[in-house]
């Protein structure tokens, strides 16, 4: 576990938990997920049985576990253990019967975190770019020696064979992969652009994650979105916050995607939809229809 106060950017609601620890032995006594709950229950017998209980709500579960050889067998014998949380809950409930215990270790200066959703994906990526994870940073070659980056002022990283047109601006917190070209008067801020991408003229990209082989034509605006590999954004497209463009999607020209829109080439069935399309506002419905029609082409 790692100390991270509520509101810390690497924390997300699905990982929020109240933890009770026996202070002298670091033994875990309670691990209760909070989620959207406003109240949590605390077994009073823990206070009667242990004199040095520490109750914490400022810890981040890094999802790093060191297990004894008995753990795989416990998962095999208990079919209701579908996840790590189920396992922790089962061990704590049946601790007196089985004799198994869980102990925790808290880190202070080290870095550890897990990507489990888009929120943590963005937060951890920013930590890497801002070098909180050093030496695990883009300009340090640890695995793939074909991908090297030059580190510039303002936490800007440029891969090899990058083409930057005159008057394009790379503001702080930008990673540009090898073989990518960026057109004139385009501005990129706090974003990651993959390899072999083509960014046109007068494009504004802020807080976005653009994967490999993506084409973005002139006069586009992209805000805090994810664009997967081999997607194409045609001229004059505006992509609002929280949008996701899947692989090989083509959007535009002159389309505005609403907030948190998801566009894919896969045809969704009624059972797969998380919401009723008819419940959307008419303006958003038209925008999504245009995007999906273009993607299908």
């Amino acid at each position: 576990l790692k100390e991270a106060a509520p509101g810390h950017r690497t924390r997300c609601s699905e990982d929020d938990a109240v933890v009770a620890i026996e202070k002298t032995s670091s033994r875990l006594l309670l691990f209760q997920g909070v989620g959207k709950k406003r109240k949590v229950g605390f077994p009073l017998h823990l206070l009667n049985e242990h004199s040095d209980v520490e109750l914490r709500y400022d810890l981040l579960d890094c999802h790093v576990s060191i297990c004894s050889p008995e753990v795989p067998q416990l998962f095999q014998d208990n079919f209701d253990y579908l996840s790590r949380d189920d396992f922790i809950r089962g061990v704590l409930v049946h601790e007196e019967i089985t004799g198994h215990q869980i102990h925790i270790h808290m880190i202070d200066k080290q870095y550890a975190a897990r990507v489990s959703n888009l929120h943590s994906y963005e937060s951890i990526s920013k930590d890497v770019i801002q070098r909180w994870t050093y030496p695990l940073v883009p300009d340090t070659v640890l695995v793939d020696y074909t991908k090297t980056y030059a580190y510039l002022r303002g936490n800007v990283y440029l891969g090899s064979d990058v083409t930057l047109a005159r008057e394009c601006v790379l503001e702080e917190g930008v990673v540009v992969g090898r073989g990518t070209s960026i057109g004139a008067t385009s501005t990129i801020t706090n974003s990651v652009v993959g390899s072999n991408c083509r960014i046109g003229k007068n494009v504004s990209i802020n807080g976005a994650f653009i994967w490999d082989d993506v084409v973005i034509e002139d006069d586009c605006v992209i805000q805090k979105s994810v664009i997967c590999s081999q997607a194409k954004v045609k001229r004059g497209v505006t992509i609002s916050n929280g949008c996701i463009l899947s692989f090989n999607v083509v959007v535009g020209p002159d389309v505005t995607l609403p907030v948190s829109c998801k566009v894919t080439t896969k045809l969704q069935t009624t059972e797969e939809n998380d919401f009723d399309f008819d419940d959307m506002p008419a303006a958003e419905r038209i925008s999504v229809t245009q995007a999906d029609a273009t993607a299908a082409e």
Side-chain angles (χ1 to χ4, degrees):
L1 302 177
K2 177 183 178 181
E3 288 191 7
H8 193 277
R9 72 181 186 186
T10 55
R11 289 183 60 150
C12 54
S13 58
E14 67 181 42
D15 286 333
D16 275 354
V18 173
V19 178
I21 307 167
E22 188 178 49
K23 196 170 182 180
T24 54
S25 63
S26 297
R27 176 183 166 191
L28 184 65
L29 303 175
L30 174 72
F31 189 92
Q32 184 172 342
V34 175
K36 297 182 179 180
K37 299 177 183 177
R38 303 188 65 178
K39 296 181 180 179
V40 294
F42 183 78
L44 293 179
H45 70 84
L46 293 179
L47 297 177
N48 296 328
E49 298 173 0
H50 306 274
S51 59
D52 54 351
V53 177
E54 186 177 31
L55 192 63
R56 304 286 296 268
Y57 183 57
D58 61 340
L59 297 177
L60 172 67
D61 184 4
C62 302
H63 290 267
V64 177
S65 302
I66 301 175
C67 305
S68 65
E70 290 82 5
V71 170
Q73 187 64 41
L74 289 174
F75 266 101
Q76 185 176 357
D77 295 340
N78 295 272
F79 298 103
D80 54 340
Y81 288 174
L82 301 179
S83 66
R84 177 172 167 270
D85 289 343
D86 293 336
F87 173 79
I88 294 175
R89 191 180 304 110
V91 170
L92 295 180
V93 169
H94 304 293
E95 190 175 66
E96 295 183 359
I97 301 174
T98 62
H100 298 120
Q101 296 181 354
I102 298 176
H103 294 260
I104 64 102
H105 174 70
M106 285 190 290
I107 60 175
D108 180 19
K109 298 181 179 180
Q110 301 84 357
Y111 185 93
R114 182 188 71 141
V115 175
S116 59
N117 51 36
L118 288 178
H119 172 79
S120 57
Y121 175 64
E122 178 189 22
S123 300
I124 295 172
S125 296
K126 287 183 178 179
D127 286 345
V128 173
I129 294 172
Q130 294 174 6
R131 308 181 76 82
W132 291 103
T133 61
Y134 187 86
L136 299 177
V137 291
D139 56 306
T140 301
V141 180
L142 297 177
V143 180
D144 190 351
Y145 287 87
T146 63
K147 295 183 179 180
T148 58
Y149 291 88
Y151 175 54
L152 307 179
R153 186 174 59 182
N155 292 326
V156 174
Y157 304 84
L158 295 182
S160 58
D161 301 322
V162 171
T163 303
L164 302 178
R166 288 180 177 270
E167 299 180 358
C168 75
V169 178
L170 303 182
E171 297 184 357
E172 62 177 359
V174 176
V175 179
V176 181
R178 63 177 180 176
T180 291
S181 63
I182 301 174
T185 67
S186 292
T187 302
I188 303 178
T189 308
N190 294 320
S191 301
V192 176
V193 181
S195 301
N196 302 315
C197 295
R198 183 163 60 86
I199 312 297
K201 300 177 182 178
N202 195 33
V203 174
S204 175
I205 301 174
N206 181 25
F209 294 89
I210 299 170
W211 296 3
D212 297 340
D213 302 304
V214 172
V215 176
I216 300 176
E217 296 184 354
D218 301 342
D219 304 316
C220 292
V221 177
I222 301 173
Q223 297 284 341
K224 295 184 177 180
S225 298
V226 177
I227 301 179
C228 298
S229 299
Q230 300 178 344
K232 184 175 183 180
V233 181
K234 292 188 175 182
R235 178 189 294 269
V237 172
T238 298
I239 300 178
S240 305
N241 292 352
C243 291
I244 301 176
L245 272 60
S246 186
F247 301 93
N248 302 306
V249 162
V250 179
V251 177
D254 301 317
V255 170
T256 298
L257 298 186
V259 174
S260 301
C261 176
K262 299 175 178 62
V263 183
T264 176
T265 55
K266 179 184 176 183
L267 182 63
Q268 281 190 321
T269 62
T270 305
E271 292 77 9
E272 292 176 327
N273 288 331
D274 295 330
F275 58 90
D276 189 354
F277 186 73
D278 294 332
D279 292 338
M280 295 179 62
E284 294 186 5
R285 196 183 312 153
I286 294 173
S287 300
V288 177
T289 302
Q290 291 174 342
D292 286 342
T294 306
E297 294 176 359

